[in-house]
Amino acid sequence: MNRTHHRHRTPAVLAAALAALLVTATGCSSKAGGSGGSEAADGVRTGPGVTAKTLRLGALTDLTGPYATLGKSIVQAQQMWADETNAAGGVCGRKVEIVVKDHGYDVQKAVTAYADLAPDVVALPQVIGSPVVAALLDDIERDHLLTFPQAWAASLLGHDSVQVIGTTYDLDMIAAVDFLTRTKGLAKGDAVGHVYFEGDYGANALQGSTWAAKRAGLKIVPQKIKATDTDLTAQVSALRKAGVKAVLISAGPAQTASLVGVAASRGLRVPVVSSAPGFAPQLMKTPAAPALAAMLDVVSAAPAVSSDLPGVKAMVAAYGKKYPDSPVDSGVLSGYNAARLLGADLKKACAAGSLAREDVVKAHRSQKSADTGLGSPQDFSDVSRPAALSSYVLKPDATAVGGLVGVEDTHRAPGVTEYLADRS
């Protein structure tokens, strides 16, 4: 998930701040599930979430749970995109509105929020959490509601209306194992620890690491944890006893900080590689910062926000101006990129004469090289494959915007094509 923690705020304060930032949608609702299209005065076919003057999008996010800081970053970045889009005339002559629902990373709350939100939106540019999306898959497909999860589990592939952007967790771990063997001196027979969240996130990551380790002649030592586990002393002790030469982690920022900090203090000073959801720039202001800078690398489908890519630099400058009190992190880049990709889909659907949900999905699936200038181009034409197969390697740097700098530019790790062929 992706893909992390801002300064601490109470839920009440956070909710109040977001209320001032977001455009709350009102208006007539349509029953979800049917196309129910009608033709607007401009000749464009419409459906749920679309009127002659407005185009309403939805976000099912986490503003009060373990990924609250990720949720805040994505919400603000997507609202920035909406404001920019509206200032330029909107989409298809319509003003964009974003309705935000907080599920707190609680699946049941998310199911309830979806039922409330879905009848009145044309697409979802943000749904945080693999378990949340998994619980909603049948409804999303039934409603033809184009959805961009802020989750990267391979189990979410294969659904026409659901689009995982970038790589999946298993591909990230294949890239991580490749990075370790190329740059950190790992050799056949070495043991590699893998600390991972229970659920789709961790299970998919473990699938990738296990496959890559077998290919490289390495042994994975798994350590499953819960999202509520924030002291990883026991896991570090087990990994030290197993004699691991490196550690992979597929969890959240709190777990990454604990793992690296405890490992450094206990003499297990080995390379650690995390997925993007396992890092947040706020970690570089904690006591674990020196160990993170020395031991951690991050595999990501997106570049660092400190990147020199012109599109990224422009986004960082705009976000800093609009939200001067909020740090720029990977969630900002992820959220803004998703919004821009959805904007391109909506414009293409409009050009074809219909903003009905099923036609927005059709426009999306016709995109074979969608490029926002914020990272690797995306191929959305094959529902069974990740939209991108290449990864960046990043490293913590307390002086950099977003707390990360690039180590290796985007590239496809050896074995990715073979792995996908084996899985199909």
Side-chain angles (χ1 to χ4, degrees), residues 173 194-197 201-202 205-206 225 248-252 273-275:
M173 288 298 99
H194 193 166
V195 179
Y196 62 96
F197 273 165
Y201 171 17
L206 183 65
I225 61 173
L248 306 170
I249 180 164
S250 303
V273 183
S274 167
S275 299

Side-chain angles (χ1 to χ4, degrees), residues 4-6 73 253 256 274-276 278-286 288-300 302-307 312 315-316 326-333 393-407:
T4 264
H5 290 292
H6 287 283
S73 294
T256 300
S274 167
S275 299
F279 179 82
Q282 289 78 9
L283 297 185
M284 302 311 290
K285 296 181 180 179
T286 70
L292 290 166
M295 297 167 58
L296 183 68
D297 289 284
V298 179
V299 175
S300 172
V305 293
S306 61
S307 167
V312 176
M315 180 207 71
V316 169
S326 295
V328 186
D329 59 16
S330 61
V332 174
L333 179 57
V393 179
L394 316 174
K395 189 168 187 60
D397 184 332
T399 66
V401 175
L404 291 168
V405 294
V407 173

Side-chain angles (χ1 to χ4, degrees), residues 48-136:
V50 183
T51 70
K53 294 183 179 180
T54 62
L55 193 155
R56 189 172 296 128
L57 306 175
L60 292 174
T61 193
D62 177 9
L63 298 175
T64 52
Y67 287 97
T69 52
L70 175 67
K72 180 184 176 184
S73 294
I74 296 170
V75 164
Q76 291 187 165
Q78 294 190 339
Q79 185 61 45
M80 182 175 78
W81 166 81
D83 292 343
E84 292 171 348
T85 300
N86 289 338
V91 173
C92 203
R94 292 160 172 81
K95 295 293 184 182
V96 177
E97 298 179 353
I98 302 179
V99 187
V100 177
K101 297 286 186 180
D102 172 28
H103 57 58
Y105 210 71
D106 182 300
V107 171
Q108 188 52 52
K109 288 181 180 178
V111 170
T112 302
Y114 178 88
D116 184 46
L117 183 67
D120 297 315
V121 297
V122 66
L124 298 172
Q126 177 196 168
V127 179
I128 283 184
S130 296
V132 169
V133 183
L136 296 172

